[in-house]
Amino acid sequence: MITIEKLAKSYAGGGPILRGVDVTFVRGQVVAIAGPSGAGKSTLLRCINGLEAFDAGSIRVENDTLVPGGDRTNAQALAAIRGRVGFVFQTWNLFAHRTALANVMEAPVHVRKTAVSEARARAESLLERVGLAHRANAYPHELSGGEQQRVAIARALAMDPAALLLDEPTSALDPSRKGEVLAVLRALAESGMTMLLVTHDIAFAREVAHRAVVIAEGRIAADGDPKHVLAPEE
Amino acid sequence: MTRATIRFAALVCVLAGLLASPNARAEGGLERVKRAGVLRWGGDLQGGEPFVSQDPGDPTRLVGFEVDIAAGIARVLGVRPEFVENDWSTLVPSLERGGFDVAMNGLEVMPSRAARVSFTRPYYVFTERLIARKGDARVRASLAALAGLRVGTLASSYAFELLRDRSEVVVYEGTEEPYLDLERGRTDAVLLDDIIAARYGEPNPALSVVGDVAQGYYAVAARKSEPDLVAAIDGAIAQMAASGELEAILRRTALWSAREEKLASWTPADQLLMTGGPASDAPPAGMTPRHVLLFIQGALMTLLVSTLAMMLAVPLGLSLALARRWGPRWLDLSAGFYVELYRGTPVLLQLYVLYYGLAPVVRINALTAAVLGLGMNYAAYEAEAYRAGLQAVPRGQMEAAVSLGMSLPLALRRIILPQAFRHALPNVTNDFIALLKDSSLVSVITVVELTKQMTITAVDVRGWLLPGLLCAALYLAMSWPLSFVARRLETRLARG
């Protein structure tokens, strides 16, 4: 469902970060994207939903294609892609001035124009799914990191995405808080959600991922069964 | 006593010392002038030619008929004259405070002034000259005929005294602006001293003299506590008038006419008539309920101008901030230029340009110009407040919003601006309070607001203390609740 061809990108004033990435992701797969820091994992993910522009190549999500530059030609494709692909950030980025419930309701109500009562019921059930029904009226600063990340996952799910992009979702968390987020992700994986998971957590990747892609120096270094591609941590 | 009360008591003592009159001296005024060898006389160079002005050929030299008269008086007293620059509208209070020995700068003798200072015999007889647009038959040469018309004049002038309670008076601070506004139809007539009318009004081809409606006198003002100095200057002027020196001086600036002959034959009875009766020891008029009503009107005008200006500044400032943060490059640059232009030039100048400078192109009334001028100026400050507020919102908020499919405008409206507003609120409140006070500047374009009302009343009641305190109290009454509401709002937003 996501096809990436010859994707290349350099940061202004810096060296190339992606040097021609070709990869295809299929529906229903959980793919772990691993590799050393600075190899381009997060950049690849951020290019897919247009948080970063790229210099060459293309990204196709179902029937919509992003090409380099030309914000205007990309705008329509980008809107369509963002409607179908959810993004979960390393640092959550919950809307600081809204409660947990309002964070989850925000996009369905204002982007998709879902009726408020319907959006509220859906948001409540999503918060329950991530184990936070009791924190619905809390503001982000009143929640722990793990709780905020779980709300952020619920917020992404509220748009009924066909795929979820997760950018190191647990690496900013205290070790004691990682488990609760991993449990949510494990349940999501079991439900058949398509997920691209950038992670350093090799054990978790080996456990939930159907496939692992290793990126090194801006290229695909390995692609295959996580049990083979990812060496267990010493 | 706590330390705070001691400090407060000390402050009160210092203030009381500052307020106490410095006039109480053992030495007489004349004695002091002679001992110092200098007669310090106060005036305002801004009044310009022919009173006192800088010599265009040699700006370090002063010229004008008052310079020559001061020199003549000093010569008779056996001292040297020394000019002291002082804003015209505060010549009398500065004289009372002891800033100079006498004031002499087209000070018209009128009861409200005669009650505060002593006037010598006059050195010039002036008329109040009425000027209107050519062919305007409504304006006739009598004070009674001015009822209901819009008439321009200078603040705290004799003409103002004659016009108040009779016409709709438009008050100016400069001598050129009344005639400019008259030409453009913002007023129906201008009533000012003949010297000013001859210099600034009569040369204008669109205007013509309707006639002279009153007569008055310029005289030297001295402190009431120094009758010996007044007597000595009286003697000096009498000597100059008798010898023909005064006539020669006035002829040099083309100010001599038959009516000036009176200066040589001045009698004590004339003096009594001029100053409005025997030097009255009656207490000054004091503040009346009518004054308080005028103050409240002034405060409402301040509030109206400030509120409307802020209502313009907030959306305009927000647009500028958004243009700078997310607009295309040309818009970003234009917005940046706007902010620098309006922050980098005095708001007084902006008001002048808007009201007088642009008048040949667009004619807007004074209140509109005041609101536009202040609003456009404050928009530059609001833009900076919002820009800081926008910068305080983390990048991730916008990323999260667009990743959920929000368009830029939607993300701004729903996610970024509410948070930026919370960060900007303390600055916006500060700006509004500053605007309340800056709104006093609009008096230069004839809007009478609270501060202007205070200066007018201060002349009426012959004192600054009570009007000043009332004025301060009204400003506080407006700004304090504002701070209070803003703090409440900040707390409420911080909770969310």
Side-chain angles (χ1 to χ4, degrees):
Chain A
M1 81 175 283
I2 301 176
T3 306
I4 295 171
E5 287 176 346
K6 300 188 173 60
L7 189 69
K9 174 182 176 65
S10 300
Y11 281 115
I17 178 84
L18 296 174
R19 303 160 185 260
V21 171
D22 290 281
V23 63
T24 299
F25 303 105
V26 300
R27 190 180 292 278
Q29 259 191 350
V30 176
V31 182
I33 301 174
S37 296
K41 310 181 296 290
S42 290
T43 306
L44 174 65
L45 212 59
R46 290 167 62 85
C47 283
I48 295 175
N49 80 339
L51 289 177
E52 304 267 357
F54 49 91
D55 307 328
S58 68
I59 297 173
R60 188 159 57 81
V61 177
E62 290 176 337
N63 295 319
D64 297 295
T65 307
L66 294 179
V67 293
D71 285 347
R72 205 163 297 167
T73 57
N74 276 334
Q76 242 181 338
L78 195 54
I81 290 172
R82 282 174 173 163
R84 244 168 299 145
V85 174
F87 202 98
V88 174
F89 297 86
Q90 185 177 350
T91 52
W92 328 305
N93 296 343
L94 288 188
F95 302 137
H97 61 309
R98 296 265 182 266
T99 61
L101 186 69
N103 261 276
V104 181
M105 290 170 65
E106 182 68 31
V109 169
H110 290 102
V111 177
R112 212 149 267 173
K113 310 286 179 207
T114 310
V116 171
S117 56
E118 193 184 324
R120 180 187 303 277
R122 172 107 169 94
E124 281 167 352
S125 87
L126 282 167
L127 285 177
E128 197 172 331
R129 189 166 162 193
V130 298
L132 286 173
H134 62 295
R135 301 294 272 149
N137 293 316
Y139 282 93
H141 67 91
E142 297 167 334
L143 298 171
S144 73
E147 287 173 328
Q148 291 195 56
Q149 190 60 297
R150 287 188 280 156
V151 173
I153 292 168
R155 179 175 69 176
L157 292 175
M159 293 295 278
D160 298 310
L164 213 49
L165 311 180
L166 302 110
D167 187 6
E168 305 196 30
T170 59
S171 58
L173 294 176
D174 287 341
S176 61
R177 289 287 180 179
K178 283 186 179 165
E180 62 192 65
V181 174
L182 292 178
V184 168
L185 295 179
R186 192 175 291 122
L188 266 178
E190 281 161 10
S191 74
M193 171 65 73
T194 310
M195 289 160 68
L196 306 190
L197 174 66
V198 169
T199 185
H200 289 286
D201 188 340
I202 301 301
F204 183 67
R206 284 168 64 96
E207 177 199 336
V208 302
H210 303 113
R211 173 184 165 198
V213 172
V214 177
I215 297 184
E217 293 178 352
R219 291 195 181 83
I220 306 280
D223 187 348
D225 187 333
K227 307 239 167 22
H228 300 142
V229 172
L230 300 176
E233 283 164 296
E234 280 86 54
Chain B
M1 277 206 294
T2 66
R3 191 175 298 174
T5 38
I6 294 172
R7 220 178 275 160
F8 181 70
L11 183 69
V12 169
C13 289
V14 168
L15 282 179
L18 286 176
L19 290 173
S21 163
N23 301 349
R25 291 191 185 91
E27 194 179 35
L30 181 61
E31 210 179 316
R32 188 190 62 250
V33 167
K34 289 203 157 167
R35 189 172 48 76
V38 176
L39 177 69
R40 290 161 55 80
W41 63 287
D44 190 354
L45 289 173
Q46 243 192 337
E49 189 265 340
F51 299 93
V52 196
S53 57
Q54 290 171 342
D55 185 345
D58 173 11
T60 60
R61 244 182 49 130
L62 297 180
V63 291
F65 73 100
E66 288 175 340
V67 176
D68 297 339
I69 292 171
I73 293 170
R75 194 192 62 242
V76 175
L77 298 186
V79 297
R80 173 171 66 76
E82 185 184 302
F83 176 77
V84 179
E85 168 65 30
N86 192 99
D87 194 77
W88 189 82
S89 62
T90 59
L91 276 175
V92 168
S94 295
L95 173 66
E96 288 177 319
R97 284 197 67 247
F100 29 79
D101 301 312
V102 293
M104 174 167 67
N105 194 206
L107 273 183
E108 304 135 313
V109 179
M110 50 197 206
S112 61
R113 280 200 189 110
R116 292 178 69 176
V117 293
S118 293
F119 279 107
T120 64
R121 59 187 284 164
Y123 60 83
Y124 181 69
V125 185
F126 72 90
T127 60
E128 290 294 358
R129 188 158 294 169
L130 189 63
I131 290 194
R133 281 184 301 280
K134 272 205 176 102
D136 190 344
R138 289 176 308 155
V139 185
R140 276 165 292 124
S142 88
L143 279 176
L146 293 175
L149 294 181
R150 270 174 77 81
V151 185
T153 191
L154 287 176
S156 330
S157 66
Y158 183 50
F160 177 74
E161 291 288 315
L162 294 173
L163 289 169
R164 64 191 308 182
D165 305 328
R166 193 186 305 267
S167 310
E168 195 186 332
V169 189
V170 183
V171 179
Y172 295 86
E173 315 222 321
T175 47
E176 227 166 336
E177 294 88 347
Y179 297 105
L180 291 175
D181 268 11
L182 173 60
E183 183 190 349
R184 288 175 205 130
R186 280 171 174 158
T187 55
D188 301 315
V190 170
L191 186 67
L192 277 173
D193 301 2
D194 57 344
I195 296 185
I196 299 172
R199 294 302 189 278
Y200 299 97
E202 289 170 29
N204 188 322
L207 307 179
S208 65
V209 175
V210 178
D212 292 346
V213 298
Q215 181 171 301
Y217 306 94
Y218 292 159
V220 180
R223 283 182 282 276
K224 274 200 177 305
S225 59
E226 299 180 345
D228 55 338
L229 186 59
V230 175
I233 294 174
D234 259 341
I237 296 175
Q239 193 180 319
M240 289 165 70
S243 70
E245 184 184 354
L246 188 55
E247 181 179 343
I249 290 172
L250 292 176
R251 277 191 189 282
R252 270 208 292 281
T253 34
L255 292 176
W256 185 262
S257 66
R259 69 167 187 265
E260 305 300 332
E261 277 159 20
K262 182 83 192 145
L263 294 172
S265 60
W266 195 252
T267 65
D270 291 326
Q271 183 75 11
L272 214 59
L273 211 58
M274 175 182 85
T275 52
S280 69
D281 289 325
M287 302 267 297
T288 63
R290 191 171 157 270
H291 283 126
V292 177
L293 193 69
L294 286 172
F295 264 68
I296 291 171
Q297 275 176 14
L300 289 178
M301 179 57 84
T302 291
L303 206 56
L304 179 71
V305 169
S306 310
T307 309
L308 291 179
M310 202 63 185
M311 283 168 66
L312 172 65
V314 163
L316 185 56
L318 186 58
S319 314
L320 287 165
L322 290 177
R324 295 195 78 177
R325 187 85 158 79
W326 280 290
R329 192 167 161 71
W330 64 269
L331 202 57
D332 171 19
L333 287 177
S334 321
F337 178 71
Y338 179 99
V339 169
E340 292 313 323
L341 180 70
Y342 275 87
R343 279 199 315 178
T345 57
V347 63
L348 204 59
L349 178 70
Q350 293 161 18
L351 287 169
Y352 263 115
V353 169
L354 194 65
Y355 188 66
Y356 296 114
L358 293 184
V361 190
V362 277
R363 196 163 308 162
I364 46 182
N365 69 39
L367 183 61
T368 311
V371 168
L372 278 180
L374 286 177
M376 282 162 64
N377 179 267
Y378 267 76
Y381 292 93
E382 293 322 286
E384 289 303 291
Y386 287 122
R387 200 158 80 111
L390 287 171
Q391 272 165 356
V393 179
R395 247 179 95 87
Q397 295 287 311
M398 181 54 109
E399 291 192 343
V402 298
S403 79
L404 285 166
M406 291 194 184
S407 61
L408 181 68
L410 182 64
L412 285 177
R413 185 164 63 79
R414 296 285 311 169
I415 307 302
I416 306 301
L417 291 181
Q419 298 187 54
F421 179 67
R422 190 193 302 175
H423 291 294
L425 186 61
N427 284 332
V428 173
T429 313
N430 279 346
D431 285 348
F432 191 33
I433 291 171
L435 174 58
L436 265 179
K437 293 175 291 172
D438 274 2
S439 67
S440 64
L441 291 171
V442 303
S443 65
V444 301
I445 56 172
T446 74
V447 176
V448 177
E449 42 61 69
L450 185 50
T451 304
K452 188 72 189 176
Q453 189 59 56
M454 181 201 62
T455 55
I456 294 173
T457 305
V459 174
D460 270 7
V461 303
R462 287 136 220 191
W464 288 82
L465 190 58
L466 213 53
L469 287 176
L470 183 55
C471 178
L474 283 169
Y475 271 113
L476 267 180
M478 291 186 280
S479 62
W480 208 329
L482 196 66
S483 311
F484 180 74
V485 169
R487 267 200 303 278
R488 287 281 298 267
L489 195 58
E490 276 167 42
T491 330
R492 230 188 62 194
L493 287 176
R495 239 184 286 145

